């Protein structure tokens, strides 16, 4: 049976358990013509989604990588409720509040960067970093324009973030409107990879050549390219990248929207990689997944470049919900939990390891890899490698039929569960993946 026929049969079975799609809702990353209805979830707890009229589902990807400690975490929920009774929102251009003060102090200490700028989400946190980097040079009287990014990157869906991301079907309608970006390959690696040194050497040579042109900044997703396929690189490679950036008198931006807050085995991926970025973009796990919020951290060197009497020196950027008190309360509560139980993220790699070692014996699997809470592998396909390959949809539907939610990136299957997941639930996630593999036979 062809993959498309299998998928159609699975969709028909799944649709029988679902409600009719709300005609007024336009879901993200969804073709409305061929999509099936969304599952109606009334409650969730821990690692479990509790949809209406069906059994619980294990959230194997932390609801798009944001639900850090698990759903409906009582400690974070209580912090938000308490804050809501005191102050729900205030204009941050003229006022501050205790939760923002506390969060700024904590994140500055944890990252080593002195200044914090609030925004609304990961994409805007990246936009802020790009704008800061560009204007910092402009304020110095330097009109350099080159930005360097890595092939396969994903930094968000607003225009600046799209520009530094991979140009593909997602950005194609807007390509003529995006500013030019210089790119270098991403030398991803995996278990048993014997050719990484050659690829890394070639990339570094390409970077050396590009950096001969005065460069605003190099932007990277440290250790793991997320939406680009959970593509992982070595810390040693990133250290060599930073050496070249410093030698060329450029800036380093680390996009930690996905990789931050323990996802890569340390609190921040740049710390595990041994980097010292000038700017850091944060979101997703920042509030434990409870509320949207973005943060851009900047070094003192960067922030001092915006000081002066001339209005042109000002960073003219802001958002209506900048430093929203409820979001700040959630973020502070999430940091409390991370500080109380660091072993939950420090040891997660060892929890994935035996399961991945077992499942990769399947001959249909290649390029297995783990970084922190993220485990991934590729499905061997004959053609159309990438996000649009239908093999991922078959895997997703089959895993869901046994109560596990995954969302493969085409032919890339991954898990990124919340830190609270039990050993039994994690084992069932791998059982769900095996069921997906069996459906490919």
């Amino acid at each position: 049976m062809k993959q498309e026929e299998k998928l159609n049969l699975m969709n028909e079975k799944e649709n029988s358990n679902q409600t009719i799609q709300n005609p007024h809702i336009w879901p993200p990353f969804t073709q409305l013509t061929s999509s099936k209805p969304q599952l109606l979830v009334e409650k969730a707890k821990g690692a479990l989604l509790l949809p209406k009229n069906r059994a619980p589902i294990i959230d194997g990807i932390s609801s798009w990588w944001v639900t850090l400690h698990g759903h409906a975490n009582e400690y974070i929920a209580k912090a938000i409720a308490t804050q809501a009774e005191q102050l729900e929102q205030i204009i941050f251009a003229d006022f501050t509040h205790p939760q923002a003060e506390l969060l700024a102090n904590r994140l500055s200490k944890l990252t080593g960067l002195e200044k914090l700028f609030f925004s609304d989400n990961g994409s805007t946190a990246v936009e802020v970093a790009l704008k800061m980097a560009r204007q910092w040079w402009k304020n110095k009287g330097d009109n350099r324009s080159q930005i360097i990014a890595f092939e396969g990157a994903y930094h968000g869906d607003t225009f600046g973030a799209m520009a530094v991301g991979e140009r593909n079907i997602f950005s194609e309608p807007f390509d003529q409107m995006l500013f030019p970006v210089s790119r270098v390959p991403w030398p991803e690696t995996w278990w048993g990879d014997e050719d990484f040194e050659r690829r890394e050497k070639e990339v570094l040579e390409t970077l050396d050549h590009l950096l001969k042109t005065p460069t605003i900044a190099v932007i990277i997703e440290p250790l793991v390219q997320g939406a680009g396929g959970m593509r992982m690189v070595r810390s040693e490679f990133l250290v060599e990248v930073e050496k070249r950036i410093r030698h060329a008198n450029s800036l380093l931006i680390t996009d930690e929207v996905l990789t931050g807050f323990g996802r890569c085995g340390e609190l921040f991926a740049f710390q595990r990689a041994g980097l010292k970025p000038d700017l850091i973009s944060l979101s997703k796990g920042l509030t434990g997944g409870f509320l949207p919020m973005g943060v851009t951290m900047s070094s003192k060197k960067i922030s001092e470049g915006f000081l002066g009497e001339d209005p042109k020196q000002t960073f003219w950027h802001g958002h209506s919900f900048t430093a929203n008190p409820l979001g700040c309360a959630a973020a502070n509560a999430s940091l409390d939990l991370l500080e109380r139980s660091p072993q939950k993220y420090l040891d997660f790699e060892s929890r994935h390891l035996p399961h991945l070692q077992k499942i990769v014996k399947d001959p249909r699997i290649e390029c297995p890899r783990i970084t922190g809470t993220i485990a991934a592998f590729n499905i061997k396909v004959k053609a159309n490698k990438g996000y649009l390959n239908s093999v991922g949809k078959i895997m997703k539907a089959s895993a869901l039929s046994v109560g596990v939610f995954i969302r493969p990136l085409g032919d890339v299957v991954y898990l990124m569960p919340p830190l609270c997941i039990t050993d039994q639930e994690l084992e069932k996630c791998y059982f769900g993946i095996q069921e997906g593999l069996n459906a490919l036979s």
Side-chain angles (χ1 to χ4, degrees):
M1 185 181 295
K2 294 182 179 179
Q3 287 187 359
E4 291 77 10
E5 294 173 341
K6 291 181 181 179
L7 187 58
N8 288 336
L9 287 174
M10 290 180 178
N11 285 345
E12 289 175 8
K13 180 180 179 181
E14 189 61 36
N15 285 341
S16 65
N17 295 322
Q18 299 182 53
T19 58
I20 297 174
Q21 178 70 47
N22 187 312
H24 307 293
I25 291 178
W26 192 339
F29 296 100
T30 299
Q31 173 48 253
L32 299 178
T33 301
S34 57
S35 65
K36 58 184 179 179
Q38 297 164 289
L39 287 175
L40 178 60
V41 175
E42 295 181 314
K43 296 181 181 180
K45 187 65 178 177
L48 297 179
L49 304 173
L50 305 174
K52 189 175 182 178
N53 300 326
R54 64 172 296 162
I57 299 169
I58 299 173
D59 187 353
I61 64 165
S62 300
S63 288
W64 251 343
W65 323 336
V66 302
T67 305
L68 188 60
H69 305 283
H71 295 278
N73 180 277
E74 293 179 2
Y75 184 77
I76 300 177
K78 184 177 180 180
I80 295 171
T82 300
Q83 181 60 44
E85 294 178 346
Q86 299 172 358
L87 178 67
E88 84 298 338
Q89 170 63 11
I90 196 166
I91 178 173
F92 203 64
D94 297 280
F95 301 94
T96 185
H97 56 85
Q99 292 286 358
E101 298 275 315
L102 176 60
L103 183 58
N105 292 342
R106 295 175 80 174
L107 286 178
S108 178
K109 182 177 180 180
L110 291 170
T111 63
L113 298 185
E114 289 80 3
K115 288 288 187 178
L116 179 154
F117 193 97
F118 288 98
S119 60
D120 291 352
N121 55 60
S123 187
T124 57
V126 170
E127 295 280 342
V128 168
L130 294 170
K131 290 177 68 174
M132 281 182 175
R134 162 62 178 170
Q135 188 176 341
W136 184 77
W137 287 107
K138 186 75 171 177
N139 287 355
K140 289 164 60 73
D142 189 324
N143 201 35
R144 62 181 63 191
S145 61
Q146 176 171 261
I147 292 177
I148 298 175
F150 284 85
E151 295 174 3
Y154 173 81
H155 296 287
D157 295 321
T158 51
F159 270 77
M162 274 198 300
V164 292
E166 178 78 3
R167 304 293 171 88
N168 51 30
I169 192 173
F170 298 100
S171 63
E172 190 275 331
F174 319 104
D175 280 352
Q176 291 183 336
M177 304 172 69
L178 303 178
F179 58 77
V181 174
S182 299
R183 301 182 192 276
V184 291
W186 182 254
E188 61 181 305
T189 189
W190 51 86
W191 293 356
D193 176 18
E194 299 179 352
D195 197 35
F196 65 87
E197 290 182 338
R198 178 191 62 80
R199 295 196 305 277
E200 290 178 356
K201 181 175 181 292
E202 291 178 354
V203 171
L204 293 172
E205 289 174 352
T206 301
L207 182 62
D208 283 334
H209 175 73
L210 289 176
L211 284 170
K212 291 178 181 179
T213 299
T215 299
I216 293 171
V218 178
I219 182 169
I220 62 172
E221 297 163 86
L223 293 179
V224 181
Q225 282 189 342
M230 299 300 163
R231 303 166 69 209
M232 303 176 185
V233 294
R234 300 189 315 135
S235 297
E236 293 86 349
F237 165 73
L238 295 178
V239 169
E240 291 300 318
V241 169
E242 184 179 7
K243 284 181 181 178
R244 285 154 173 81
I245 293 170
R246 300 307 174 198
H247 180 74
N249 188 32
S250 182
L251 301 177
L252 172 61
I253 301 171
T254 57
D255 175 356
E256 294 249 11
V257 170
L258 160 65
T259 59
F261 302 104
R263 280 302 183 191
C264 288
E266 288 194 26
L267 193 57
F268 298 104
F270 80 85
Q271 293 169 336
R272 181 170 182 175
L275 306 178
K276 294 182 179 180
D278 301 287
L279 293 154
I280 307 171
S281 301
L282 299 169
S283 188
K284 291 197 181 292
L286 172 63
T287 66
F290 272 72
L291 290 165
M293 176 171 280
V295 159
T296 304
M297 305 295 302
S298 84
S299 66
K300 185 177 181 180
K301 178 181 76 172
I302 298 297
S303 64
E304 287 181 341
F306 291 82
L307 303 178
E309 298 298 325
D310 187 344
K312 292 182 179 180
Q313 297 288 111
T314 304
F315 186 59
W316 297 110
H317 187 103
H319 298 262
S320 299
F321 288 94
T322 293
N324 173 258
L326 304 181
C328 289
N332 279 313
S334 180
L335 285 177
D336 289 344
L337 296 175
L338 288 170
E339 290 173 355
R340 290 175 190 174
S341 304
Q343 293 307 125
K344 285 188 176 181
Y345 62 84
L346 292 173
D347 295 342
F348 210 102
E349 213 163 282
S350 64
R351 298 180 66 190
H352 273 307
L353 186 60
H355 298 293
L356 191 59
Q357 286 175 327
K358 180 179 179 180
I359 204 166
V360 298
K361 294 177 182 178
D362 190 300
R364 291 162 292 192
I365 289 175
E366 62 183 358
C367 303
R369 52 207 185 266
I370 301 176
T371 298
T373 67
I374 308 166
F377 59 82
N378 293 18
I379 300 292
K380 294 178 182 178
V381 293
K382 295 180 179 179
N384 300 322
K385 293 177 69 68
Y387 189 85
L388 297 181
N389 191 290
S390 62
V391 69
K393 293 181 179 179
I394 296 173
M395 293 281 296
K396 175 184 174 183
S398 184
L400 190 60
S401 71
V402 294
V404 176
F405 178 69
I406 58 174
R407 190 180 170 91
L409 301 161
D411 57 344
V412 175
V413 179
Y414 72 93
L415 286 174
M416 192 190 308
L419 297 175
C420 69
I421 194 169
T422 67
D423 289 341
Q424 293 76 20
E425 289 167 341
L426 184 61
E427 183 176 10
K428 187 174 180 180
C429 285
Y430 281 92
F431 170 75
I433 289 174
Q434 185 62 61
E435 287 295 294
L437 290 169
N438 293 342
L440 301 179
S441 301

